[in-house]
Amino acid sequence: MLCVRGGQKMRPFLCAQISGFHTSKPGLAPRSFFGVEDFVDDDNSRPYTYQKGKKSKNPNKHVSFKQRTVAYMEPFTLDVFISKRFVSASITHRVTCKQVAVAGTNSKDIKAVLKSRSDIPACLSVGQILSDRAREADVYTASYTPRDRDKFEGKIRAVVQSLIDNGIDIKVYLD
């Protein structure tokens, strides 16, 4: 909207129509300076709320054949989470990102049977239940890479060893 101020030059500015609480007459108020339309990306096409992916420092970087095909050659991954209170593990399909089999000591059926939800026997039972559920979903192999903060020993090793003992072939990648 263009507004004239006392016979001076016409200056454009944005106005929004508002109405007072006690009056029924609409009035004009300046539009918010921090509106979505005020912020656009570098190419002036998207609002600021759009989250761009990280740009590679080297756009011409070569991606090896193994990096491109590993998700299809070994499609299932094992994820193990251990806290002070419970243990959970899942097998996920890499390409579709769907969880094929899930087991944890926090579920009702396992919670009642176990003495403790976070000790080594609990980890062994989670591995056994997860292997049963994975076999029902026709998954017989998976790969496991421990997180940076996790060491492949103790409870995590008990879950993986239980899966191996119950018929699921786990390929462990230790860096």
Side-chain angles (χ1 to χ4, degrees):
M1 175 181 288
L2 294 174
C3 298
V4 178
R5 189 183 217 182
Q8 296 174 355
K9 285 198 270 182
M10 293 180 69
R11 295 184 186 168
F13 69 91
L14 296 171
C15 294
Q17 193 170 10
I18 62 165
S19 61
F21 183 72
H22 295 290
T23 62
S24 61
K25 296 179 184 177
L28 291 177
R31 202 152 189 199
S32 171
F33 179 74
F34 296 103
V36 172
E37 61 278 352
D38 294 334
F39 296 99
V40 290
D41 279 347
D42 301 332
D43 58 352
N44 293 331
S45 63
R46 299 181 184 105
Y48 77 101
T49 54
Y50 177 79
Q51 200 172 28
K52 284 200 256 182
K54 289 185 179 179
K55 291 182 182 176
S56 175
K57 291 181 182 177
N58 186 1
N60 299 324
K61 183 178 178 184
H62 175 71
V63 179
S64 71
F65 179 76
K66 184 176 181 182
Q67 289 173 327
R68 284 180 278 152
T69 58
V70 72
Y72 298 97
M73 302 302 275
E74 299 169 357
F76 298 102
T77 59
L78 172 67
D79 182 37
V80 180
F81 179 73
I82 297 175
S83 71
K84 291 179 180 178
R85 301 182 76 189
F86 66 93
V87 176
S88 67
S90 65
I91 294 180
T92 308
H93 193 270
R94 280 188 188 179
V95 180
T96 60
C97 297
K98 297 204 179 202
Q99 289 186 334
V100 178
V102 180
T105 57
N106 217 15
S107 61
K108 288 182 181 178
D109 53 344
I110 304 171
K111 200 187 290 188
V113 178
L114 295 173
K115 184 177 177 183
S116 173
R117 286 188 259 167
S118 61
D119 58 353
I120 299 284
C123 294
L124 294 172
S125 65
V126 165
Q128 183 180 4
I129 293 167
L130 185 65
S131 66
D132 294 340
R133 292 178 182 173
R135 274 186 271 130
E136 287 175 10
D138 290 331
V139 176
Y140 298 97
T141 60
S143 62
Y144 175 68
T145 306
R147 296 185 179 106
D148 292 337
R149 65 181 184 271
D150 292 342
K151 294 178 184 172
F152 188 66
E153 59 188 29
K155 295 177 183 178
I156 293 176
R157 189 177 185 109
V159 173
V160 174
Q161 190 62 44
S162 177
L163 282 164
I164 292 169
D165 294 342
N166 288 300
I168 304 296
D169 182 33
I170 304 290
K171 190 182 279 189
V172 180
Y173 291 103
L174 300 174
D175 291 334

